[in-house]
């Protein structure tokens, strides 16, 4: 003769009024003596503990779960979008005291899990670990995609590569034009500088001769071109001898 398993009573569901009444009773079970110390009604709280244990046992027998144990559907594992910069604080000095906040105590701080990792290897292991990805709302399973999705992704990557190549080519052409324009500008400036030096040298030479022979002695043409039958230096020498009253050397 087979025996049937005992039936499990249903889990009592409390209404809002019952919850409010229990809260009022719990508040009344705590009193304060003359010295300001709290006094607890041991019988009331012992009874309350027994009721909670019975409810927990009924939930276990019924296979029920707590309200905060409801399953959470997480998304499949996906690619990281943010850039992990492991060298942002490299070479920096930081003053750490006993009152320094934990995330500023040196190391790598995970703002999702609110934990501090002391070295880069531990930080990367944490980012790729199960706990961090669970807090990010993902599980450790990779989403299965179809062949069409793979083809679309490849086409998208090709398109991005073409756009990048076109942009680089355009920037290269602009750079070459800018370099050519800069070289032409430098060449023009060099020619202007050469012309200014030439004019300055000519003016200095003219002032020197005017100081030696008097103002208005030689014109620009006479400075540039030599006289007939001799050079400009010889003509200047003969003129100087004439001014000094020396006609020349030799017989009359």
């Amino acid at each position: 003769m087979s025996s049937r398993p005992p039936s499990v009573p249903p889990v009592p569901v409390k209404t809002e009024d019952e919850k409010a009444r229990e809260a009022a009773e719990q508040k009344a079970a705590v009193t304060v003596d003359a010295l300001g110390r709290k006094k607890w009604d041991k019988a009331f709280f012992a009874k309350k503990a027994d009721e909670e244990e019975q409810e927990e046992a009924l939930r276990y027998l019924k296979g029920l779960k707590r309200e905060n144990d409801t399953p959470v559907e997480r998304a499949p594992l996906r690619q990281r979008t943010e850039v992990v910069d492991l060298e942002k604080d490299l070479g920096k000095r930081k003053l750490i005291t006993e009152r320094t906040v934990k995330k500023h105590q040196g190391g790598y701080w995970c703002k999702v899990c609110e934990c501090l990792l002391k070295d880069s290897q531990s930080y990367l292991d944490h980012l790729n670990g199960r706990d961090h990805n669970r807090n990010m709302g993902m599980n450790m399973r990779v989403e299965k995609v179809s062949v069409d999705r793979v083809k679309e992704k490849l086409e998208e990557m090709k398109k991005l590569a073409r756009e990048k190549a076109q942009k680089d080519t355009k920037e290269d052409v602009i750079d070459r034009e800018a370099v050519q324009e800069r070289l032409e500008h430098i060449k023009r400036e060099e020619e202007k500088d050469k012309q200014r030096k030439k004019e300055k040298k000519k003016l200095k030479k003219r002032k020197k001769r005017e100081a030696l022979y008097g103002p208005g002695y030689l014109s620009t043409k006479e400075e540039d071109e030599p006289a007939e039958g001799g050079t400009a230096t010889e003509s200047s020498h003969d003129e100087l001898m004439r001014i000094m009253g020396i006609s020349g050397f030799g017989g009359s």
Side-chain angles (χ1 to χ4, degrees):
M1 182 177 179
S2 61
S3 60
R4 298 178 60 185
S7 60
V8 180
V11 180
V13 179
K14 297 179 181 179
T15 61
E16 295 295 332
D17 295 337
E18 291 176 350
K19 291 180 180 179
R21 185 170 61 255
E22 285 186 0
E25 291 176 355
Q26 182 175 347
K27 186 176 181 181
V30 181
T31 58
V32 181
D33 60 5
L35 298 177
R37 296 175 298 185
K38 289 185 177 181
K39 295 178 65 177
W40 309 87
D41 189 351
K42 296 182 179 180
F44 173 80
F45 285 103
K47 181 181 178 182
K48 185 174 179 62
D50 292 338
E51 292 177 355
E52 290 181 355
E53 288 181 359
Q54 291 178 5
E55 291 180 3
E56 187 69 24
L58 291 175
R59 287 194 181 93
Y60 177 76
L61 293 175
K62 284 287 187 180
L64 300 178
K65 296 183 178 180
R66 296 177 180 269
E67 294 179 356
N68 56 358
D69 291 340
T70 55
V72 179
E73 185 177 357
R74 292 182 171 84
L77 194 64
R78 56 182 179 270
Q79 184 180 2
R80 188 184 299 115
T81 55
E82 66 275 5
V83 179
V84 180
D85 188 5
L86 300 176
E87 300 180 355
K88 62 179 181 179
D89 294 331
L90 187 64
K92 295 181 181 179
R93 295 184 179 182
K94 187 179 294 186
L95 180 62
I96 300 175
T97 63
E98 296 179 354
R99 298 183 179 181
T100 304
V101 185
K102 187 175 182 181
K103 64 180 180 180
H104 297 307
Q105 289 181 0
Y108 299 92
W109 175 257
C110 178
K111 60 183 179 181
V112 178
C113 305
E114 295 184 352
C115 61
L116 183 67
L117 291 311
K118 291 297 184 180
D119 58 89
S120 58
Q121 185 63 44
S122 301
Y123 183 58
L124 290 176
D125 291 341
H126 171 75
L127 294 181
N128 298 326
R130 182 184 300 273
D131 295 337
H132 178 78
N133 286 287
R134 283 175 65 89
N135 293 334
M136 292 285 290
M138 296 182 292
N139 53 38
M140 299 302 290
R141 292 188 294 271
V142 181
E143 182 182 5
K144 294 182 179 180
V145 296
S146 61
V147 179
D148 296 334
R149 287 279 303 278
V150 175
K151 291 181 179 179
E152 290 177 1
K153 185 65 177 179
L154 292 175
E155 290 295 331
E156 183 180 354
M157 294 175 66
K158 288 181 181 179
K159 183 179 179 181
L160 292 175
R162 286 195 298 267
E163 291 178 355
K164 186 177 183 301
Q166 292 176 359
K167 184 178 179 181
D168 293 342
T169 304
K170 186 177 180 181
E171 291 179 353
D172 188 24
V173 171
I174 294 175
D175 291 342
R176 286 202 300 269
E177 292 177 354
V179 170
Q180 186 67 25
E181 184 178 355
R182 180 63 178 170
L183 290 175
E184 292 178 357
H185 176 72
I186 292 173
K187 187 176 181 180
R188 290 194 299 267
E189 291 295 327
E190 288 179 351
E191 291 178 356
K192 290 180 181 179
D193 188 53
K194 189 183 295 184
Q195 187 67 23
R196 283 194 298 267
K197 288 182 179 179
K198 187 176 180 180
E199 294 292 337
K200 187 177 180 180
K201 186 176 181 181
K202 188 183 295 185
L203 181 61
K204 185 177 180 180
K205 186 176 180 181
R206 182 189 302 170
K207 288 182 178 180
K208 184 176 180 180
R209 290 189 176 182
E210 287 181 353
L212 184 61
Y213 304 120
Y217 173 68
L218 292 175
S219 62
T220 306
K221 185 176 180 180
E222 290 175 342
E223 289 180 358
D224 296 337
E225 298 179 1
E228 295 182 1
T231 61
T233 305
E234 293 175 353
S235 300
S236 301
H237 181 69
D238 295 341
E239 187 66 22
L240 179 61
M241 292 179 66
R242 185 182 64 78
I243 293 173
M244 295 175 64
I246 301 174
S247 59
F249 297 97
S252 56

